[in-house]
Amino acid sequence: MAVNVVESKEWYLAGYAAEGVPTTDHLTLRSVPLSFSLDSIPDAHVAVQLLFISVDPYLRTRMRGQEDGLYFPQFSLNQVITAFGVGRVMRSKDEKYSEGDIVLNAFFPVAEYCVVPSSVLIRKIDPEAGIPLPEYLSCLGVPGFAAWVGIEVLGEAKPGSNAFISAAAGGVGMVAGQLAKLKGCRVIGSTGSDAKVRLVKEEFGYDDAFNYNKETDFDAALSKYFPNGIDIYLENVGGKMLEAVLNHVNPHARIPVCGMISQYNEIWTKREGVRNLLNIVGKEVRMEGFLVGSYLDRFADFTVEMEGYLKQGKISSKIKIYEGIQSFAESLGSLFSSSNFGKVVIEVNKPR
Ligand code: NAP
């Protein structure tokens, strides 16, 4: 790289959003000069050009101004937002990394360029491995890992199990459905549009799916799709869907609670209550919240299995790519509608 100073655009939090979808009233883009001269990069740091940033629902919960629910630390006001991402090393003051290395970091600044301690980098990616880079944020990233923990570890998926997956066409859901099919389950999904119902059935192999905006009596829908009850419910949305599921669980059903996106934009006193939680007693249901960060000792097993599935074409994915760092606020807002298919990623700079 010839230049030593770049103007880098980055997103910071200008104000907390206790309720509603955060907008550009809360998120602001600014431009900052960054020096890449070797003298200005501290030892054990690398200068990175961001290539792809993962846009995930949990980011919203870090913009509330108060910890609850997922209990992620809140972003500090006026500080740059961070997210999972893929970048290219431009300058290195760590002998383990060289210019041109492609690296993964769970907490990259949502920016065009950055200088970060090399200790935060998770690993290098081999760009010649035949796997497109955004896939490291999708099937091979947090959503894929969450799906794997939910279905294989906590869901204990077995041949013949009846599995239900909400937000079935999202980053987690699309992988979870395919994993459950590979384990021999009968898999049903719920999602927000007819086009997404078709997608999960035709591309992700779901046995069936319903549009929760059309089939609004969830209890009736689950009676129809699960005549033999539900053994595994991968919970992604919460609220009324969870309540309906609890009327259809089989004895010893498992409910890995991955998230509850329908409740993320409400303060807790306004969130939907679940009136029939009592059912988990008589049905001896195991309902368990989890965070992928607590399963990092299994990440290597997951990666080997998932890379195998991808290379053999047993798992496919759909990735919605937003162009340019300026699209962060819009892409984050899109997670709370039914407008996108699959995993949402920003292409910050074009990979060469
Ligand atoms: P995603 O790809 O961003 O998909 C989000 C989808 O959720 C949207 O496309 C939308 O699809 C659906 N949705 C939005 N608002 C909804 C509402 N009010 N009611 C029902 N569905 C709604 O999300 P993801 O990455 O798959 O994440 C899914 C869940 O997993 C989230 O709750 C997330 O927080 C959680 N998660 C947890 C972990 C963990 O470690 N526990 C890791 C990753 C993700 P529709 O068209 O279907 O409405």
Side-chain angles (χ1 to χ4, degrees):
M1 189 188 68
V3 285
N4 274 329
V5 177
V6 292
E7 281 292 315
S8 174
K9 292 196 200 73
E10 64 177 27
W11 284 91
Y12 70 97
L13 196 64
Y16 290 113
E19 295 176 83
V21 178
T23 65
T24 47
D25 290 344
H26 314 97
L27 292 162
T28 307
L29 190 61
R30 67 185 168 203
S31 198
V32 291
L34 263 188
S35 171
F36 286 150
S37 76
L38 272 179
D39 295 349
S40 62
I41 298 172
D43 285 340
H45 280 60
V46 289
V48 173
Q49 179 190 44
L50 272 293
L51 300 177
F52 295 99
I53 285 174
S54 178
V55 185
D56 292 291
Y58 84 93
L59 293 171
R60 190 273 168 263
T61 72
R62 302 191 64 185
M63 301 172 185
R64 188 183 304 290
Q66 192 187 352
E67 272 182 35
D68 77 347
L70 308 188
Y71 287 96
F72 277 103
Q74 298 301 291
F75 290 122
S76 301
L77 292 182
N78 300 317
Q79 297 289 309
V80 66
I81 307 284
T82 59
F84 211 96
V86 176
R88 180 194 294 115
V89 174
M90 301 174 71
R91 294 276 164 89
S92 174
K93 289 284 254 327
D94 180 330
E95 61 187 19
K96 290 198 291 298
Y97 295 96
S98 314
E99 192 178 322
D101 282 348
I102 305 294
V103 288
L104 263 182
N105 177 4
F107 301 104
F108 264 136
V110 177
E112 292 175 304
Y113 299 90
C114 63
V115 174
V116 291
S118 49
S119 57
V120 302
L121 302 177
I122 299 173
R123 69 176 176 108
K124 291 184 203 174
I125 290 172
D126 174 6
E128 307 303 323
I131 295 175
L133 293 181
E135 207 62 88
Y136 291 91
L137 306 180
S138 180
C139 290
L140 286 167
V142 172
F145 191 35
W148 187 83
V149 172
I151 294 297
E152 297 205 14
V153 181
L154 301 176
E156 295 172 6
K158 304 183 216 7
S161 299
N162 290 298
F164 179 46
I165 291 157
S166 52
V172 174
M174 68 179 175
V175 181
Q178 295 177 87
L179 280 174
K181 281 305 295 176
L182 285 167
K183 296 284 157 191
C185 301
R186 177 175 170 271
V187 185
I188 307 292
S190 64
T191 187
S193 72
D194 289 347
K196 287 187 175 190
V197 165
R198 280 196 298 280
L199 174 81
V200 301
K201 287 163 66 175
E202 290 168 12
E203 289 197 33
F204 303 139
Y206 277 67
D207 292 289
D208 216 333
F210 65 96
N211 174 352
Y212 67 84
N213 285 313
K214 263 191 178 166
E215 295 193 52
T216 53
D217 182 341
F218 300 161
D219 212 33
L222 294 175
S223 295
K224 179 167 109 189
Y225 292 102
F226 286 99
N228 299 317
I230 296 172
D231 301 304
I232 302 169
Y233 172 46
L234 182 65
E235 167 65 301
N236 284 320
V237 304
K240 289 189 172 59
M241 192 62 86
L242 174 59
E243 189 172 272
V245 166
L246 290 178
N247 288 334
H248 296 271
V249 279
N250 287 331
H252 302 287
R254 279 85 60 206
I255 305 185
V257 183
C258 185
M260 296 192 173
I261 195 169
S262 75
Q263 309 297 305
Y264 289 178
N265 293 316
E266 298 288 0
I267 53 173
W268 81 268
T269 48
K270 291 191 186 165
R271 290 184 191 141
E272 284 167 343
V274 176
R275 295 167 296 178
N276 53 358
L277 265 179
L278 187 54
N279 294 359
I280 71 175
V281 179
K283 292 288 173 82
E284 299 184 86
V285 172
R286 205 175 70 222
M287 186 164 156
E288 182 172 350
F290 70 95
L291 293 173
V292 286
S294 299
Y295 290 84
L296 292 180
D297 58 328
R298 307 290 309 274
F299 194 71
D301 298 339
F302 154 76
T303 302
V304 168
E305 188 177 325
M306 189 58 69
E307 283 187 356
Y309 289 145
L310 287 170
K311 285 179 181 161
Q312 295 157 30
K314 289 186 174 167
I315 285 197
S316 65
S317 79
K318 192 125 195 133
I319 301 182
K320 162 74 187 176
I321 301 223
Y322 282 79
E323 301 282 336
I325 196 72
Q326 72 284 351
S327 60
F328 176 67
E330 181 196 352
S331 60
L332 182 71
S334 80
L335 305 185
F336 301 96
S337 72
S338 292
S339 55
N340 286 325
F341 292 74
K343 168 74 196 134
V344 175
V345 164
I346 298 173
E347 184 179 68
V348 183
N349 287 289
K350 291 236 177 271
R352 281 187 222 125

